[in-house]
Amino acid sequence: MSFHHEHDDVVRLPCNIQFYESGWTVHRVHRLPEEVSAIVEVPDGSPTDRVYVGTSGVGSVYRLSSSALPGVVTTLASGLGDRYQHGTCAVNCLAVRDIDCDGTPELLAGTCQIQPTGRPRLYVWSLGESMIPRGAVRPDIASSWSHGLGFVPSGNPASDAIFSTYCGYGEIVEYRLAQAPSESGYRFESLGWRQVGQLPASGEATQTADIDNDGDVDVCVATGFSVGKAAIHVYSPSSTGIESRPKHIVDEGGRFGNVRFLVTDMAGDGTQELLAWWCTELAGGDCEIVRYRLGPLGLIHREVLGRGLAELLWPADGQMSAADTDRDGSAEVWFATGTGNLWRYDPRRYPALSQVCQVENGIGPICASDARSEHSASAIYVACREFVLLLRREE
C-alpha cells in the first residue's frame, strides 16, 4: 500500500521550527499512520536507496521514497507485536546490513511489546527489487523493551552475529540467521537466539564497534535506569557469544543513573571514539556530555563537552546519529531531545557543540544522512509525532 503526502512543491509543517543557523529549510514532509519510533537510511552504495521508518501503536514498518517520488510512503509490515487490537507495540530499532554477505542488504526491526507487557521480537527481511522475509523470533526473556542492534562479522559464510540488550532485567541476547538441511532432505532457514549475558541493571543501549582501537570489534552495551548504576560495558565476542567479564567499564564513578552513547570516528583518522550522555536521574536531572578515547589498556583521554539540564541535552533511543554530512572525511554527531532540541557536535567547527534548531512539539528519532556526492547538501531526517521531516542545508 502506498500513499502520497506533502513534498517539495508545497511543504505544510506539522509544527513550528526555529532555526539557529542560516540556510536550513524543511525540504520534505512525510506523514505516517502512527507515531514514528525509529528511522534508518540504507547506506550509500547499496542496491537500494531508501529510508525506512518504524512506528509505535500496532507496530509497523514503512518505506519512504527518497528521490523518485517525494512524499510517497509504502507499508511494508504491520501488526508486529503480540496483540494487534487494543495493544501497543513499538518498532524502536531499525538497522540495515548485509548480515549473510550475499550482496543484498537486510532490514532488521526490533520491537517492544508495551501493552500488554510481553516479549520483544526481532524481524529480518532481505532488501532488493522486492522485500523477502527471512526470519522472526520472540526470545523467551523477562524484559519487553529492546535497546539497539549491533553486529559482529562471522568470518565465514554463516550469518553475522546480531546483539541487543533489554530494558528491565538487562539481558544481552545474540541472534543468528541460520540455514541447514534436515535428514529428510528439507532445507530450513531460521532466526535463532540465545541469552549470552546479564547486566547488573537495565540494558539501555547496544552498539558494536572497535571502541578501543585494537583491531577487533567489541560488543558495547549501556546499563542504567537505576540510581548510581549507569555504566558502559565493553565485551569481547567469543564462541559463547561474549566473554563473561567486560574488558572495559566506563562508569564515571557511579555518579549517574542512566547513559546513552555513540561510537564513531570523530577525528577523521580512522580511530574510534566514544561520546556518552550521562544523566543523574533515570531519564532526567542534570546531564553531562563526555568524549572518550580508549586504547587496549583502557582510557586514554576524557573531555567534558557540555553540562546542563537533561531536558535540553539528553537523547533517548534513536535520537543519536553520526554521518559525514559536510564531506570532510569525518563524522559529525547529531542528537535530539524529546523537548525539541536538535544539536550537532563537530570539533572542526566553532562552537563544536551547537544547537541547530528547536521544534515546538518535540522531536522523536532522527537520522543524519551521509552526503552521497560532492554536490549533496547536509540533510537530517527528524521525526515529530507521526511526521518525518527532511531538514536540508544548502552548502
Side-chain angles (χ1 to χ4, degrees):
M1 177 185 298
S2 299
F3 45 94
H4 288 264
H5 285 294
E6 293 87 356
H7 51 84
D8 295 7
D9 298 327
V10 179
V11 176
R12 299 182 180 90
L13 298 184
C15 51
N16 293 325
I17 302 178
Q18 180 180 1
F19 287 104
Y20 298 106
E21 291 185 353
S22 61
W24 287 92
T25 60
V26 180
H27 191 64
R28 191 177 304 150
V29 177
H30 302 268
R31 184 174 185 176
L32 285 300
E34 302 179 298
E35 185 171 334
V36 175
S37 50
I39 308 174
V40 69
E41 183 182 47
V42 177
D44 193 14
S46 297
T48 180
D49 177 15
R50 296 189 175 99
V51 174
Y52 295 87
V53 173
T55 61
S56 174
V58 300
S60 302
V61 176
Y62 300 88
R63 183 178 64 221
L64 308 183
S65 63
S66 56
S67 54
L69 295 170
V72 173
V73 177
T74 302
T75 305
L76 300 178
S78 190
L80 299 179
D82 280 352
R83 182 180 295 182
Y84 183 81
Q85 293 183 329
H86 311 297
T88 305
C89 169
V91 177
N92 80 318
C93 54
L94 292 172
V96 175
R97 182 182 173 94
D98 183 5
I99 59 174
D100 56 1
C101 303
D102 65 352
T104 300
E106 276 69 49
L107 173 67
L108 299 94
T111 71
C112 309
Q113 182 58 43
I114 302 168
Q115 183 64 38
T117 303
R119 283 152 57 182
R121 300 185 185 192
L122 180 68
Y123 294 84
V124 178
W125 301 271
S126 283
L127 301 175
E129 294 183 2
S130 60
M131 188 169 170
I132 302 171
R134 300 291 301 278
V137 68
R138 185 172 175 261
D140 187 11
I141 58 177
S143 299
S144 62
W145 191 282
S146 61
H147 276 293
L149 291 168
F151 306 91
V152 174
S154 64
N156 58 55
S159 162
D160 290 352
I162 308 160
F163 290 89
S164 188
T165 190
Y166 291 85
C167 180
Y169 298 93
E171 301 95 339
I172 303 173
V173 176
E174 178 189 0
Y175 300 90
R176 290 270 187 163
L177 186 66
Q179 294 180 331
S182 70
E183 294 181 358
S184 56
Y186 290 101
R187 295 195 63 84
F188 293 91
E189 183 173 65
S190 64
L191 186 63
W193 72 277
R194 60 178 176 175
Q195 183 177 338
V196 297
Q198 183 76 52
L199 293 172
S202 175
E204 293 294 306
T206 309
Q207 187 181 352
T208 46
D210 182 10
I211 193 173
D212 58 4
N213 301 290
D214 65 353
D216 297 318
V217 175
D218 305 302
V219 178
C220 312
V221 292
T223 184
F225 208 69
S226 182
V227 176
K229 292 187 178 181
I232 299 166
H233 290 216
V234 180
Y235 295 89
S236 294
S238 70
S239 59
T240 58
I242 58 174
E243 297 291 346
S244 59
R245 294 179 179 272
K247 64 175 181 176
H248 306 294
I249 296 178
V250 181
D251 64 5
E252 287 291 326
R255 295 187 294 126
F256 296 98
N258 213 341
V259 62
R260 297 282 193 267
F261 72 90
L262 189 67
V263 181
T264 191
D265 178 6
M266 286 177 270
D269 60 1
T271 61
Q272 300 295 301
E273 291 183 86
L274 167 67
L275 197 64
W277 294 260
W278 304 86
C279 65
T280 54
E281 299 178 11
L282 303 190
D286 296 321
C287 178
E288 287 188 15
I289 307 172
V290 186
R291 179 179 176 178
Y292 306 88
R293 182 180 288 261
L294 276 69
L297 299 180
L299 182 65
I300 296 174
H301 179 73
R302 175 186 179 275
E303 177 186 4
V304 177
L305 305 179
R307 294 186 176 96
L309 294 176
E311 65 183 43
L312 302 177
L313 296 173
W314 169 257
D317 270 354
Q319 291 188 313
M320 302 154 289
S321 184
D324 184 11
T325 65
D326 56 8
R327 304 175 298 279
D328 68 351
S330 57
E332 314 98 61
V333 174
W334 295 80
F335 65 98
T337 69
T339 53
N341 303 302
L342 178 64
W343 298 84
R344 177 189 58 230
Y345 172 67
D346 185 348
R348 286 153 298 284
R349 292 178 181 254
Y350 180 82
L353 181 63
S354 60
Q355 186 175 359
V356 174
C357 70
Q358 207 282 330
V359 180
E360 180 184 47
N361 294 326
I363 294 178
I366 66 169
C367 179
S369 179
D370 272 312
R372 295 177 183 266
S373 75
E374 63 179 0
H375 305 294
S376 297
S378 299
I380 310 294
Y381 292 93
V382 173
C384 177
R385 302 188 312 275
E386 71 271 26
F387 294 89
V388 174
L389 316 178
L390 177 61
L391 308 186
R392 178 164 286 170
R393 183 179 181 182
E394 303 301 330
E395 303 290 347

